[in-house]
Amino acid sequence: MTRQPALQGVKEAAARIASVVPPTPLLPFETDQGRIWLKCENLQPIGAFKLRGAYHRLAALSAEERTKGVVAFSSGNHAQGVAWAARRLDMHAAIVMPSDAPKAKLGATLALGAEVIAYDREAESREEIAAALAKEREATLVPSFDDPWIVEGQGTAALEAISQMEELAGGPPDSTVICCGGGGLSAGSALALPDVPITIVEPEGWDDMARSLAGGVIVPVGDNPPPTRCDALQTIRVAPITFDILHRHGARGVAVTEGEVAAAMRAAFSQTSLVVEPGGAVALAAVLAGKVQPSERTLVTLSGGNVDPAVFAEIICG
Amino acid sequence: MTRQPALQGVKEAAARIASVVPPTPLLPFETDQGRIWLKCENLQPIGAFKLRGAYHRLAALSAEERTKGVVAFSSGNHAQGVAWAARRLDMHAAIVMPSDAPKAKLGATLALGAEVIAYDREAESREEIAAALAKEREATLVPSFDDPWIVEGQGTAALEAISQMEELAGGPPDSTVICCGGGGLSAGSALALPDVPITIVEPEGWDDMARSLAGGVIVPVGDNPPPTRCDALQTIRVAPITFDILHRHGARGVAVTEGEVAAAMRAAFSQTSLVVEPGGAVALAAVLAGKVQPSERTLVTLSGGNVDPAVFAEIICG
């Protein structure tokens, strides 16, 4: 039977993850529209939330499955998450990564001991390469969002934020704004916060989840999507597992421009001394651009901070 | 009677400060010499620890003193600390700042509503300007480290870290490495952690506290100290109040090069998504350079993150 992602699974994942990494900080951040609360997943050991789902998935494998290792494909943050979890659990991880992935992400994945297989983003299918490799090795394929354990694991960020927000702001989150690529983090958050309004945020031209939610059916990114610095959010099509959870939850989506993303990165740099990568800054960008109005206790994810120095330098000096 | 800075005062300060800002995160950080724990004062609302001492000092003023306001001199972080505390307590703050202070620090101090008086670092004495202004206005002079309340307030960072370290690492800090300019943060930490070995860290050529501790008597920085990016640590002479506490405690000092500071800033950027200013990175630099050997639970301060974008960009791309 296929596992159904659920709140109970998020709680199981949270217990697993609490045993290996401390909660990420929840920091207050002042905006012209009022105070918001930043869930700093960029401060994870791998610089992004992805170790949450990866660890939950890998820890649930059987002893026999563990000996055969795992295969994943990712532009970088999921790659590091799987590599990190595999090292923790003493397993082999092979990661299929685009040859133009940020050097910071490639280097970090290698440093975590993973085997990296590069592919050409324009000419090859990472899904096919990964599937063939998994079959050949009898290894477990670990998708970056289309998987119940992954969704549950990513939801632990929002679950952690409940008690943090209660302690710091006197109550649980009453709205959330979440970065969205394939929807793992946002669908997991919907499981963790079943009664809290969710806005998911994507880069302009890559807002397929927003359009899917608005229309009630999955639509892919259009032909020739615009270039974006948000490499972590370049998902062509979301999956039923993430879409269904968000649709049932009543989530809505907004899109932000590259300029709005850069402004959010500058604000995080100068106001809170945080490095946020472009894809990790879209939720903050939506608030700062006035596209989402904060409520009394708004939870905003900073989902990652893995950005090449030259790109970061250009943006903060821009 | 002059107030004697003491552990009891640090505890009073901690209660005051807890009512206005949450504790700063304590984050694990892996080094070749083992795991250390970073006390992230760069994540304070003003990007540095200085609001701790300033708030403790200003909150202790009488109603009459409050109406007359405060005067401070600072290259930037203490300026913001005093401005932030004054705004919170509805007081006027006038800050004497060098005309070549980082623009980020000047701008932030103005944005906090303070009156800024610029002076020429080469030709004028900020102490004299500030003293004359305080006398004229009958305002209270708030020194950046030579003051018992300031020392006690800065000590709250280390006090906070005790329970954080117990929760995350299974016990209190068993050694500390602390950035040192005038010694407020390190002397306060010595009060907060009376039985824990302390290493203070300064930039090369500005290591007057280290030499003072080694010789048992206060000596100033030598003539023509070298240029340094650590603007926050350019103190010519420490004060008896900070020196005496550290000397009694048995603290020792080490010095780091500009290159070691830059390497630490790059490591914080790429390994933990944190922006640290040069002066705020010296303690981490000392560990990464192998000049301080970490123990089982080493507390390392990241004391500030206020750095101009162009300087940060140059360093992370260097």
Side-chain angles (χ1 to χ4, degrees), chain A residues 69-155:
Chain A
V70 291
V71 174
F73 49 87
S74 159
S75 75
N77 285 336
H78 177 59
Q80 289 181 69
V82 172
W84 185 91
R87 167 166 280 191
R88 280 274 171 166
L89 294 164
D90 201 20
M91 296 170 56
H92 182 82
I95 321 278
V96 180
M97 294 182 75
S99 48
D100 65 348
K103 285 188 200 71
K105 294 180 178 178
L106 273 168
T109 306
L110 286 166
L112 285 164
E115 174 190 5
V116 170
I117 296 111
Y119 77 99
D120 178 345
R121 200 195 281 265
E122 304 295 321
E124 298 176 277
S125 159
R126 62 184 188 173
E127 288 84 352
E128 286 171 18
I129 298 171
L133 195 66
K135 191 175 174 193
E136 176 194 319
R137 296 182 180 183
E138 298 178 48
T140 302
L141 194 63
V142 182
S144 60
F145 57 88
D146 188 7
D147 178 286
W149 283 273
I150 296 291
V151 171
E152 289 172 350
Q154 317 304 32

Side-chain angles (χ1 to χ4, degrees), chain A residues 292-312:
Chain A
V292 180
Q293 191 61 36
S295 54
E296 199 178 333
R297 292 183 301 273
T298 298
L299 175 67
V300 175
T301 56
L302 298 183
S303 57
N306 295 318
V307 52
D308 280 335
V311 173
F312 192 72

Side-chain angles (χ1 to χ4, degrees), chain A residues 16-262:
Chain A
R16 279 193 168 124
I17 289 157
S19 70
V20 287
V21 284
T24 53
L26 182 74
L27 295 178
F29 186 89
E30 309 300 333
T31 77
D32 292 343
Q33 293 82 37
R35 173 177 294 184
I36 59 175
W37 294 87
L38 303 176
K39 183 62 176 164
C40 297
E41 292 296 299
N42 57 329
L43 298 179
Q44 285 284 11
I46 61 157
F49 67 94
K50 296 282 190 175
L51 58 80
R52 296 178 178 275
Y55 191 78
H56 183 44
R57 168 70 281 207
L58 269 58
L61 293 176
S62 69
E64 195 194 338
E65 287 169 323
R66 288 192 192 197
T67 61
K68 295 183 172 162
V70 291
V71 174
F73 49 87
S74 159
S75 75
N77 285 336
H78 177 59
Q80 289 181 69
V82 172
W84 185 91
R87 167 166 280 191
R88 280 274 171 166
L89 294 164
D90 201 20
M91 296 170 56
H92 182 82
I95 321 278
V96 180
M97 294 182 75
S99 48
D100 65 348
K103 285 188 200 71
K105 294 180 178 178
L106 273 168
T109 306
L110 286 166
L112 285 164
E115 174 190 5
V116 170
I117 296 111
Y119 77 99
D120 178 345
R121 200 195 281 265
E122 304 295 321
E124 298 176 277
S125 159
R126 62 184 188 173
E127 288 84 352
E128 286 171 18
I129 298 171
L133 195 66
K135 191 175 174 193
E136 176 194 319
R137 296 182 180 183
E138 298 178 48
T140 302
L141 194 63
V142 182
S144 60
F145 57 88
D146 188 7
D147 178 286
W149 283 273
I150 296 291
V151 171
E152 289 172 350
Q154 317 304 32
T156 60
L159 198 70
E160 264 178 28
I162 297 173
S163 56
Q164 293 178 311
M165 191 86 99
E166 282 169 345
E167 189 183 333
L168 298 172
D174 57 11
S175 72
T176 65
V177 191
I178 308 186
C179 309
C180 183
L185 184 64
S186 41
S189 301
L191 295 177
L193 302 169
D195 303 318
V196 178
I198 289 183
T199 305
I200 63 100
V201 188
E202 295 164 299
E204 264 192 8
W206 294 85
D207 55 340
D208 53 311
M209 181 68 94
R211 291 186 298 108
S212 300
L213 291 170
V217 58
I218 294 176
V219 291
V221 165
D223 291 339
N224 303 313
T228 175
R229 284 194 180 110
C230 301
D231 60 274
L233 307 181
Q234 290 182 292
T235 311
I236 299 296
R237 177 191 282 274
V238 302
I241 190 172
T242 52
F243 171 76
D244 289 349
I245 292 170
L246 289 168
H247 191 232
R248 276 203 310 274
H249 189 280
R252 73 182 189 104
V254 301
V256 290
T257 66
E258 296 289 298
E260 288 162 352
V261 169

Side-chain angles (χ1 to χ4, degrees), chain B residues 83 87 92-93 108-115:
Chain B
R87 168 169 278 190
H92 181 83
T109 306
L110 286 166
L112 286 165
E115 174 189 5

Side-chain angles (χ1 to χ4, degrees), chain B:
Chain B
M1 198 185 99
T2 311
R3 183 184 180 92
Q4 291 300 314
L7 176 56
Q8 184 53 36
V10 180
K11 291 180 178 172
E12 285 167 24
R16 278 191 168 127
I17 289 156
S19 69
V20 288
V21 285
T24 52
L26 182 74
L27 295 179
F29 187 89
E30 308 301 332
T31 77
D32 292 342
Q33 293 82 36
R35 173 177 292 184
I36 58 174
W37 294 87
L38 303 177
K39 183 63 175 163
C40 297
E41 292 295 300
N42 57 329
L43 298 178
Q44 286 283 11
I46 60 158
F49 67 94
K50 295 282 189 174
L51 58 77
R52 296 178 178 275
Y55 191 79
H56 183 46
R57 166 71 282 206
L58 268 58
L61 293 176
S62 69
E64 194 195 336
E65 286 168 324
R66 288 192 191 197
T67 62
K68 293 182 175 162
V70 291
V71 174
F73 50 87
S74 161
S75 74
N77 286 335
H78 178 59
Q80 289 182 69
V82 172
W84 185 92
R87 168 169 278 190
R88 280 275 171 163
L89 295 164
D90 200 21
M91 295 170 56
H92 181 83
I95 320 278
V96 181
M97 293 182 77
S99 48
D100 65 348
K103 286 190 198 69
K105 294 180 177 178
L106 272 167
T109 306
L110 286 166
L112 286 165
E115 174 189 5
V116 171
I117 296 110
Y119 77 99
D120 179 344
R121 202 194 279 263
E122 304 295 320
E124 298 177 278
S125 158
R126 61 184 189 173
E127 288 84 352
E128 285 172 17
I129 297 171
L133 195 67
K135 190 174 176 195
E136 177 195 317
R137 296 181 179 183
E138 298 178 47
T140 302
L141 194 62
V142 181
S144 61
F145 58 89
D146 188 7
D147 176 287
W149 282 273
I150 296 291
V151 170
E152 288 173 349
Q154 318 303 33
T156 61
L159 199 68
E160 266 178 26
I162 297 174
S163 55
Q164 293 178 311
M165 191 85 99
E166 282 170 346
E167 189 184 333
L168 298 172
D174 57 11
S175 70
T176 65
V177 191
I178 308 185
C179 309
C180 183
L185 183 64
S186 42
S189 301
L191 295 177
L193 301 169
D195 302 318
V196 177
I198 288 183
T199 305
I200 64 100
V201 187
E202 296 164 298
E204 264 192 10
W206 294 85
D207 55 340
D208 53 312
M209 181 69 94
R211 291 186 296 112
S212 300
L213 291 170
V217 58
I218 293 176
V219 291
V221 165
D223 290 339
N224 304 314
T228 175
R229 285 194 178 110
C230 302
D231 59 275
L233 306 182
Q234 290 182 291
T235 310
I236 299 297
R237 175 191 284 274
V238 302
I241 189 173
T242 52
F243 170 76
D244 288 349
I245 292 169
L246 288 168
H247 191 233
R248 274 202 310 272
H249 188 282
R252 73 181 189 108
V254 300
V256 290
T257 67
E258 296 290 297
E260 288 163 349
V261 169
M265 290 173 67
R266 283 194 288 273
F269 168 83
S270 63
Q271 259 181 264
T272 75
S273 307
L274 288 174
V275 177
V276 190
E277 65 180 279
V282 295
L284 177 59
V287 176
L288 296 183
K291 291 179 172 176
V292 181
Q293 191 60 34
S295 53
E296 198 178 334
R297 293 183 302 274
T298 299
L299 175 67
V300 176
T301 58
L302 299 182
S303 58
N306 295 317
V307 52
D308 280 335
V311 172
F312 191 72
E314 185 195 326
I315 289 172
I316 60 170
C317 294

